[in-house]
Structures are given as structure tokens and as C-alpha cells.
Amino acid sequence: MKLFLAYLLGVSTLLLPALGIQLVPNSNGSLPLRASYDFIVIGAGIGGLVIANRLSEDESVSVLIVESGELDDRAEDITVPGNIGQENPSRYEWIVTTTPQEYLDNRTRSFSQGRVVGGSTIMNGMCWTRGSAADYDAWRNLGNPGWGWTDLLPYFLKSENYTTHSDASLRLSPEHDKHGRQGPVQVSFPRYVYSQTYNFLDGIQALGIPLNEDLNSGYATGANFVPGSVTAENQSRADARVAYLDPVLSRPNLDLLTGHTVTRILSRATGNKTSQKPSQRHKGRVTVTGVELAANSTAPRYNVSCKREVILAAGAILSPVLLQISGFGPSDHLRGLGVDVLVHLPGVGSNLQDHAMIQPVYKYAAPDLFTALDIVGDTREAVKAEYLAHRTGPWTATMVNAVAFPGLDQVLPQLLHLITNDSTQHLPPTYDATLRAGYAAQQTEIRSLLSRRDVSAYELMVTSWGQLAVSVMHTLSRGTVHARSSSIFDNEPPILDLRLCSHAFDCEILRMGVEFNNRLIATDSMAALLPVPPVGLRPEDMGNRTALMETIKRMVSTEFHPSGTAAMMPRRAGGVVDTGLRVYGTRNLRVVDASVMPLIPGGHIQSAVYAIAEKAADMIKRDNQGNKPIPPHPLQTPSTA
């Protein structure tokens, strides 16, 4: 049956309903799973699907993926690039409400993540930028040998199948040794370009920012059309499911369980609810034995055993929450939840980073200008018909056509003092000495990064209708995510505090971006579009710095790039995982998602997560060669929790 499903998916058209391995309960309520698995993967986003694909290449091992979401339906609001930003696939969203943001306007923010096989790659903007080579060298400098740019580049190449645009006039000239041609994720450019994108790029150059003919070469500053995770031939979304899961459904050693949530990571260790330190009864490393899972809060819970490793890939919000309720995290917080402390790790849930962003719209008033907002009614039907017949036209264009990454010569040098001044005053109050030491090391790296011409301070993203979004690429603010209950089902949402602009530098960079936007729309090429700045961000508003900053703070959200909450750092610096992505204090528990990033790179992070996961898969394979499996615990015994 799995062979037949794989065949169907291989020949599927754009709108074919989703098919796949969906294990459903038997008539007696039990789950049709194996007695045990070599590897259990928690989460079917980028990290989980890459790991499951690569580990199941070995026919002698068994792999289970557990995902709380379902397979998506491959509808037009998912697969068609031109629908991104116009139609919202909310059926696959997990919307988290943050705590009130005290450093902005004391209001909450909505934070969206994908709850679906493929994770957020099913609904993201598909932009494909890696950031600077120096961003990854900073990871290495923070105590992570083997994680610099040259170490990760082979895995960037391994994950991607890059196709440049056929129009030579677009001035796209990729460095061939910096791109993969045979990887699972197709990366390409849309066949349709809105004319106003050229106005943007001309205006950018008029202000001294050059075109960068390959934004993914490791030299990350400049501007150009942005590649996306889009299939070159079909001009449709190339998500993690299409790239890494659908082609391997025929493997008999790979199972996918959807609609179920891992409620706890199980181990043989016995912790202590009252001590700040793990119980003296357990002096060695914790051996993870499997997972407990359930369909919902009232459904029976089942224990599934693991013979080799558990790989946590639930994303930077849920991965630390699951670690905490399983006994790995800051002792005080775990004790407050009534959770046995297995390993005291203050960094679990700390070091949360994201690209702070505002999205002002400078509405174009030029007559007869065609934008994505005009694709309605009869026009929509015509655009759709062209796309389905020829895979051309506006539906091939992603929401963001072009981007710019201003270099440091565009950043005022006097702002650099903010990086080291007031260095710890606005850190979370839960930070201990190790986390403060880690942050100090991060500050040193960020200051070094922002002194380079090949590292961006902020990003500008342009849409066809005049949105000129500004986002901070190297944020100094640090947020936290903590479980609010020992039950995973009571963490909807967890306690998520992004702490946006808690460090003044971040909002100063956003202010600089707004001021740059006003210079940009005054260039001849952009002025021809008759842009209308939003109230509060007009040129005449720039003089009142206090009012301007208040306007900016009301607008601040994020790019939905959460990272860093289970950071790969030395343990003495607040780290959670070692350079093998293994959780400190454990033998066989790893984290493979954006939460392991010690510093967020200056780009859209999906390409980096693919590379991390590809590297992790190689390490897991290597580490398990010749190792004896762990004797399994009984399978599917309903838990008493």
C-alpha cells in the first residue's frame, strides 16, 4: 500500500489531495505501531523530516515521526506562490499569544507557527537567504568547533537544488561552488516580476547600496531579487514535506503518526521535585527510553519505546517546553511545575531570538500600476488560468520580490556603543551567571559582526503594493519561553515573552530603516510610483524622535523566526546542547531545529535549519555505527500520568 501511495504522490498534480502514512488507532484503541523503534522523531517540520528521511536510508533501522498536525490538503492557498500573503491557511496555524510586551506598548502579540506535516514551510513566505558566512563563524567562535561557514556549506549544498533565473537581464550570477544542484529542496526564482520591483532596486542603488548577484554566497550585503523555496518547473511551493517526506513514503522502516502529541520524553532516571539539583541517585547521564503520547488531553496516553535515540524537532517554542515538562531545564521553574528535575539546564527556554520587524505600507498612487492586490474577481480567474495552463504570470511571484541588506557603512557608528553599554540591565530576570556569561560572549560576536561590510544590520523587503518591511538582522534583545503547566496540553500557549526591543539597539535599527525608507521613496525611480507614507512615518514625522519611536514600537512584530531556546553553547555559557546537538546530561536525546542556534543568522532561517538537520543526520548515523541498541521498554502501555 505504501508503494502505491508513493507512486500517486510522485505523479500528483498541483491540487491532488494529500496522501501519506497516517496511522490510525485499531478498533480496540491501540495504535498500530512497532514494538519499538530505533529512532523516534518528535515533530515533522524541517528538522524532523530531514532527520527521518536520512536515518531511514538505512533499511536496518526503524524510524517513527510523531506530529500533532496532519498532512496538508495541497490547496491553492498553500502551493501557489502568488497567494502567499493574500490567503491565510489558518487551518494549519498554531497561533500563540505572547505576554504583554513591556518594552513596546504593553500589548500582546500574536505569534504564528505551522502545526502540520512540513511545519512552517507549509505557510511561510518562502524567502531563501542564508545570511553571511561570518554569522556561522560566530557560532564556531562561541565554543562550537565544526559549526563555522565552511563546515556548514556542504550541508547547505546537500539540501538544495538551485536553479537561477533564465533572464540574464536580472543580473543574477550565482557562485556555482556555493549552491547545490541535486538536493531535495528546489530553490528558484518566479517567472513573473512586478515592474515596481525594478523601481525599488534602482532606488536602492541610487542610495549607494549595490546589487549583490548572489545573496547566498556568504557575502550577505547588497540587494537583488530574492530566491525562494519554489519548484523551478512547476512554480509551486517546495516545502519540507514535498522535499523530504513524500519521496520516501515507500520505505517500510518509516512510520508517520499524525494527530498525536508527545506529552513527555521518557527515561530511566529518577529526579527530585524539591532539590535544585538532580537527585544524587542519578549521577550519570540520563538515558532516554522513549516517549509518551496522546491524541488530546482526554485521550489515553501511550508509551512508545526507543532503542537508540529520541530526536526533538518541535521548533524553538515547543522544544524547550517539552524539555522542561520532561525534567530538563531550570530547576526552580521545573520545581514550580511539580516536575522531577533530571538535568538542571538554566538555558532551556532562554536566549529566545527573532528578527524584530515593522511592515509599513507606502501605498503607490501611480495610475495603472498592477499589484498583487488587484488579483481579484475576473482578474483572479485570468491569472489562475494562465498559471494552471503555463505556470507563468503573477501567481508565480512570491509576496516578497526583492530584498536589500544594508551593510555597516549604512549604519551610524555611534549606534555601536549601544551594543556593549547597559549590557545586562534588560536581560530576563531569570538569567543566571552562566546565561549572562553566554550573552556577554554573544555581544562580543555581534559587535564584531556589525563592524564588517559583508554583514547586514537590517533587511528591507518589498512587496508589489508598497510594503517596505524593515527587520533587525542581529538582535540584542533576548526573550524566554516557559511551560505554564506540566501538561503539554495546558501549554496552549506556553508563557512566551519575546521581550522585543528590550535592548534599545534593536528599535534604533528599526528607526534607521524607517528613515532610510523615506530617502528611498524620494529617489527618482521610487517617486515615479507616487508612494504615500503612512501617518506617523512621513518625512515630516522624522523630526519628533519620541513620537516616531512610539509609532515604531506600536508596529513591531517579528518575522516568525524564533530560535536559540536550546542553544548550542558550552554549558558554562548557558548552553543546552553540545556540538553533537545532544542535550547536556543525556546519552541519547538530541535537539534538531532552530532552537539550537546560538545566534540568529542575518537572513531567513529556513535554509539554515535544513543545513543544521542535514549535518545532524550525518552525526547521528556516525555515532550509532556499531552501537548496541538500548533494551526497549514495553510498548503502548497506557500511562498512569
Side-chain angles (χ1 to χ4, degrees):
M1 182 62 178
K2 288 169 70 174
L3 285 168
F4 178 65
L5 292 178
Y7 170 76
L8 284 179
L9 283 163
V11 299
S12 64
T13 60
L14 174 68
L15 304 179
L16 185 69
L19 297 171
I21 317 164
Q22 288 189 282
L23 301 177
V24 297
N26 296 318
S27 58
N28 63 0
S30 64
L31 296 174
L33 300 171
R34 298 168 185 262
S36 62
Y37 289 85
D38 289 290
F39 299 98
I40 298 176
V41 180
I42 305 171
I46 293 176
L49 293 184
V50 172
I51 291 293
N53 177 302
R54 296 307 187 189
L55 295 184
S56 63
E57 289 173 341
D58 182 350
E59 296 178 356
S60 69
V61 303
S62 56
V63 180
L64 170 67
I65 314 169
V66 183
E67 166 59 42
S68 60
E70 301 289 351
L71 290 158
D72 73 277
D73 54 16
R74 300 283 92 181
E76 291 175 353
D77 59 346
I78 297 291
T79 60
V80 176
N83 281 332
I84 309 305
Q86 306 303 309
E87 297 185 13
N88 181 22
S90 58
R91 60 198 178 281
Y92 302 123
E93 273 189 311
W94 181 50
I95 299 178
V96 181
T97 301
T98 71
T99 61
Q101 295 300 286
E102 62 175 306
Y103 297 95
L104 298 177
D105 54 5
N106 285 312
R107 295 186 176 184
T108 62
R109 298 296 191 271
S110 293
F111 198 89
S112 177
Q113 297 279 273
R115 177 168 284 176
V116 60
V117 176
S120 293
T121 67
I122 297 295
M123 49 195 295
N124 66 12
M126 300 185 288
C127 293
W128 193 268
T129 61
R130 298 171 180 167
S132 170
D135 289 336
Y136 302 97
D137 289 342
W139 293 7
R140 180 197 60 210
N141 298 343
L142 287 169
N144 299 304
W147 285 92
W149 168 257
T150 56
D151 304 300
L152 275 171
L153 183 58
Y155 296 104
F156 280 116
L157 272 59
K158 185 177 182 179
S159 64
E160 75 175 16
N161 184 343
Y162 186 91
T163 303
T164 194
H165 204 288
S166 58
D167 186 349
S169 68
L170 297 185
R171 292 183 63 184
L172 297 166
S173 181
E175 297 185 22
H176 294 291
D177 61 341
K178 303 293 176 58
H179 292 282
R181 296 297 190 276
Q182 298 179 341
V185 185
Q186 292 202 39
V187 179
S188 68
F189 294 84
R191 291 174 179 163
Y192 182 89
V193 177
Y194 287 96
S195 62
Q196 49 270 41
T197 308
Y198 296 98
N199 297 72
F200 169 78
L201 292 174
D202 288 344
I204 286 287
Q205 293 175 83
L207 293 177
I209 297 178
L211 286 184
N212 182 336
E213 296 190 357
D214 187 355
L215 289 169
N216 287 304
S217 66
Y219 193 101
T221 51
N224 216 322
F225 300 97
V226 63
S229 47
V230 177
T231 61
E233 184 64 28
N234 208 37
Q235 291 285 288
S236 60
R237 179 186 292 275
D239 52 72
R241 175 195 156 184
V242 167
Y244 281 90
L245 178 65
D246 289 353
V248 300
L249 288 177
S250 61
R251 291 179 183 169
N253 59 335
L254 174 63
D255 286 340
L256 168 68
L257 178 64
T258 60
H260 284 72
T261 298
V262 171
T263 58
R264 275 191 308 154
I265 299 167
L266 304 175
S267 73
R268 292 181 178 145
T270 302
N272 192 307
K273 290 187 176 72
T274 59
S275 173
Q276 289 236 345
K277 298 181 180 180
S279 169
Q280 292 301 308
R281 289 173 290 172
H282 179 71
K283 297 182 180 180
R285 291 186 295 165
V286 174
T287 298
V288 168
T289 58
V291 300
E292 177 188 77
L293 55 84
N296 54 60
S297 60
T298 61
R301 300 190 180 191
Y302 293 95
N303 295 345
V304 183
S305 66
C306 161
K307 292 183 288 186
R308 293 187 182 275
E309 295 196 22
V310 169
I311 297 96
L312 178 54
I317 304 302
L318 279 180
S319 282
V321 170
L322 189 53
L323 284 173
Q324 289 168 13
I325 65 179
S326 301
F328 308 95
S331 295
D332 286 346
H333 184 65
L334 270 57
R335 185 176 55 194
L337 296 174
V339 171
D340 286 353
V341 179
L342 301 183
V343 182
H344 172 55
L345 290 172
V348 175
S350 292
N351 193 49
L352 174 59
Q353 300 165 55
D354 204 334
H355 295 129
M357 176 178 68
I358 60 173
Q359 302 178 73
V361 175
Y362 301 75
K363 185 177 180 180
Y364 299 145
D368 302 321
L369 186 68
F370 182 71
T371 79
L373 301 183
D374 297 316
I375 306 176
V376 295
D378 292 342
T379 300
R380 186 182 190 279
E381 293 306 309
V383 167
K384 176 179 179 178
E386 178 185 0
Y387 176 81
L388 293 178
H390 307 293
R391 292 298 193 267
T392 57
W395 258 17
T396 70
T398 53
M399 181 175 72
V400 176
N401 269 191
V403 295
F405 293 98
L408 260 293
D409 51 340
Q410 278 83 41
V411 175
L412 298 177
Q414 56 263 39
L415 285 181
L416 290 178
H417 79 278
L418 287 173
I419 298 177
T420 51
N421 283 4
D422 195 24
S423 62
T424 62
Q425 180 178 345
H426 294 305
L427 286 176
T430 54
Y431 266 40
D432 72 347
T434 65
L435 285 163
R436 289 176 180 273
Y439 183 75
Q442 291 175 348
Q443 279 188 307
T444 299
E445 289 302 318
I446 291 173
R447 185 178 179 89
S448 176
L449 288 170
L450 290 177
S451 67
R452 300 174 59 104
R453 294 182 60 87
D454 59 346
V455 173
S456 62
Y458 61 95
E459 177 187 25
L460 297 177
M461 294 177 286
V462 63
T463 68
S464 64
W465 59 87
Q467 180 174 291
L468 294 172
V470 183
S471 55
V472 183
M473 289 292 95
H474 295 91
T475 177
L476 287 167
S477 301
R478 294 293 180 269
T480 58
V481 56
H482 289 112
R484 67 172 67 247
S485 165
S486 60
S487 168
I488 192 70
F489 296 110
D490 291 336
N491 284 282
E492 300 261 349
I495 304 171
L496 175 62
D497 188 359
L498 299 173
R499 306 183 81 257
L500 295 166
C501 287
S502 55
H503 196 295
F505 179 81
D506 296 349
C507 267
E508 287 294 332
I509 292 294
L510 293 176
R511 180 185 59 80
M512 288 179 53
V514 168
E515 293 175 345
F516 183 89
N517 279 350
N518 277 295
R519 296 197 301 274
L520 176 63
I521 63 175
T523 62
D524 291 343
S525 57
M526 287 294 286
L529 301 174
L530 304 180
V532 180
V535 175
L537 300 182
R538 300 165 299 186
E540 58 266 32
D541 299 320
M542 297 297 106
N544 188 334
R545 185 184 180 93
T546 300
L548 174 61
M549 194 59 78
E550 288 178 356
T551 299
I552 289 172
K553 287 183 176 182
R554 286 194 299 270
M555 299 177 68
V556 172
S557 59
T558 84
E559 282 198 84
F560 303 135
H561 295 160
S563 57
T565 51
M568 177 176 55
M569 296 265 287
R571 196 168 180 178
R572 65 181 181 276
V576 176
V577 300
D578 61 20
T579 55
L581 306 187
R582 190 178 288 105
V583 175
Y584 286 118
T586 74
R587 295 182 183 276
N588 60 331
L589 173 61
R590 303 197 203 221
V591 182
V592 183
D593 56 33
S595 62
V596 304
M597 294 178 174
L599 284 176
I600 191 169
H604 298 259
I605 66 172
Q606 65 166 335
S607 62
V609 180
Y610 279 113
I612 289 169
E614 287 281 15
K615 181 176 173 66
D618 275 359
M619 292 190 296
I620 294 169
K621 287 181 176 180
R622 179 197 64 210
D623 292 349
N624 280 275
Q625 284 181 347
N627 287 349
K628 293 182 179 180
I630 301 166
H633 278 195
L635 170 73
Q636 291 195 32
T637 304
S639 76
T640 58

